[in-house]
Amino acid sequence: MASVLLENICKSFVPGKPVLDDLSLDVKDGELFFLLGPSGCGKSTLLRILAGLEKQDSGKVKFDGVDISSLPPEKRQAAMMFQNYALWPHLTVFENIAFGLRILGKKGAALKAEVMSALEAVQLADCAARRVPSLSGGQQQRVALARALAVRPAVLLLDEPLSNLDARLRDSMRSEIVRICRERNQTAIYVTHDRQEALSMADRMAVLRSGRISQCGTPRELYDYPANRFTGEFLGDINFIEGKISGGMLETGFGRFPLSGSAEGAFAGAIRPERIRFADSDHPGAFAAEIVRGTFLGDSGEWICRAGNVELAVKESAPPPRKAGEKVFLAFDDGFLLAMK
């Protein structure tokens, strides 16, 4: 497998409107790395540049330290799995997977062994003789993955591969992709706009905004400690609490609380709803609030509570009965009220 280095990548399709704006990124050998962001942020364009299907205006693409920027797609040792799978309906599953191997010069017993190894990896060895239209959506997705894996790419590129599947199949295929990449120590770069997909699967991830990286790190780092408002909001519900910031503390109308991270240049405190707890009145840092409204979801509850003149979203596991107008006390989990720039 290979490490991937992107250096100062720029790309515009319309002059003066960059799709990728001086973007640099480092992906480790064997890493399952996610590119996450809203539509139009440049993530699919970046993947196509890695594959050689688009040419960057400037910057370099390196695999294992070797500059491959000028190489055509077939010489990059990168295989791409497309969103619509791009399978040939008139060919059998075996022939779909064998296509790329034949281009690489494989034939005979060696070709058959490689095809069947790829099918076994996606647990479809018994479907080799079937034609694509006879397969379910989940099976077609597995065939597309097997075709990409069969050529033993140094880098596997996945462009929203699960977006056409229903929720149940998406969940099972997430586990399958992670399993296969782990077993093969496969370097993989995976594009999605689905935050749950990225958070549940990635070794590391980058959130993109308007052609630039908003933040890069592990899923837990980005979710628990977003560096800015965009990353915080994109990855899930989050409370922003404005107030006076002084000496690493946030002063509000309902209390004074320590901030995590550098408060220099911060405009607010930020905290995830699940990091706010219902507490006893004598709990350290507890503050008075009132439930404004709520939603019972079975295994959890989502409440809007007012403290002073601030409304806070609170998520609670296994919630007891609660009602609007109820007086409560809340507390922030230590270390999770972030200084937000």
Side-chain angles (χ1 to χ4, degrees):
M1 302 308 121
S3 62
V4 177
L5 181 63
L6 297 164
E7 295 181 338
N8 309 110
I9 300 295
C10 295
K11 177 66 178 179
S12 297
F13 295 105
V14 177
K17 294 183 178 180
V19 176
L20 296 170
D21 189 4
D22 198 31
L23 186 147
S24 296
L25 186 64
D26 187 2
V27 178
K28 299 182 179 73
D29 188 353
E31 192 168 40
L32 179 52
F33 192 95
F34 271 65
L35 298 172
L36 180 67
S39 298
C41 71
K43 55 189 186 295
S44 290
T45 298
L46 186 59
L47 206 68
R48 291 177 64 82
I49 286 172
L50 282 164
L53 302 175
E54 295 284 355
K55 174 68 175 175
Q56 69 271 23
D57 299 331
S58 60
K60 295 180 179 179
V61 179
K62 295 181 179 180
F63 287 0
D64 276 341
V66 178
D67 187 352
I68 63 158
S69 303
S70 60
L71 292 181
E74 65 272 16
K75 294 186 178 181
R76 291 196 175 202
Q77 290 190 296
M80 189 162 177
M81 181 178 170
F82 296 93
Q83 183 176 353
N84 62 0
Y85 311 150
L87 300 173
W88 288 285
H90 62 290
L91 299 180
T92 65
V93 168
F94 185 98
E95 290 301 324
N96 265 277
I97 295 169
F99 185 86
L101 290 166
R102 287 197 170 99
I103 291 175
L104 294 177
K106 297 281 185 180
K107 52 185 162 183
L111 172 69
K112 183 176 180 180
E114 292 287 357
V115 171
M116 296 312 297
S117 175
L119 280 173
E120 285 165 7
V122 299
Q123 301 176 1
L124 281 179
D126 59 344
C127 293
R130 293 175 62 178
R131 293 189 183 273
V132 170
S134 73
L135 303 177
S136 69
Q139 289 172 322
Q140 290 184 34
Q141 196 266 356
R142 288 170 185 249
V143 172
L145 179 58
R147 184 176 62 183
L149 292 169
V151 296
R152 305 268 175 185
V155 180
L156 176 63
L157 306 172
L158 303 117
D159 190 5
E160 302 202 45
L162 308 184
S163 61
N164 293 329
L165 302 182
D166 63 35
R168 183 183 61 81
L169 280 173
R170 279 201 303 273
D171 288 343
S172 65
M173 284 310 304
R174 286 175 187 172
S175 299
E176 284 298 292
I177 290 173
V178 171
R179 176 186 65 80
I180 291 165
C181 287
R182 295 284 180 272
E183 288 177 354
R184 295 189 168 213
N185 193 37
Q186 177 71 60
T187 305
I189 301 176
Y190 189 123
V191 159
T192 184
H193 64 273
D194 186 325
R195 66 193 185 201
Q196 288 187 339
E197 210 164 272
L199 290 169
S200 64
M201 295 173 65
D203 293 319
R204 286 192 307 138
M205 55 196 282
V207 174
L208 271 64
R209 181 187 188 188
S210 301
R212 295 188 173 213
I213 293 176
S214 177
Q215 190 175 353
C216 182
T218 67
R220 187 170 293 276
E221 287 169 347
L222 268 63
Y223 184 81
D224 284 341
Y225 303 102
N228 51 66
R229 184 164 188 149
F230 179 82
T231 298
E233 290 182 320
F234 192 80
L235 290 181
D237 295 335
I238 191 166
N239 295 287
F240 294 100
I241 308 167
E242 295 186 5
K244 182 180 179 182
I245 296 176
S246 176
M249 303 289 287
L250 175 67
E251 298 180 14
T252 73
F254 56 91
R256 190 168 183 264
F257 308 96
L259 290 166
S260 177
S262 172
E264 184 177 349
F267 72 90
I271 191 165
R272 298 283 183 195
E274 63 271 20
R275 292 297 181 179
I276 305 176
R277 308 291 182 186
F278 289 94
D280 295 329
S281 59
D282 59 353
H283 186 282
F287 55 92
E290 178 183 335
I291 296 178
V292 178
R293 59 186 180 277
T295 303
F296 175 64
L297 300 173
D299 62 346
S300 63
E302 296 181 354
W303 318 105
I304 301 298
C305 300
R306 182 179 291 111
N309 62 352
V310 176
E311 287 195 349
L312 298 170
V314 181
K315 287 186 180 178
E316 181 184 28
S317 297
R322 301 190 186 278
K323 59 184 179 181
E326 182 179 345
K327 305 296 184 183
V328 296
F329 284 89
L330 302 174
F332 299 137
D333 282 357
D334 292 342
F336 286 95
L337 180 61
L338 313 177
M340 185 57 60
K341 299 177 175 62

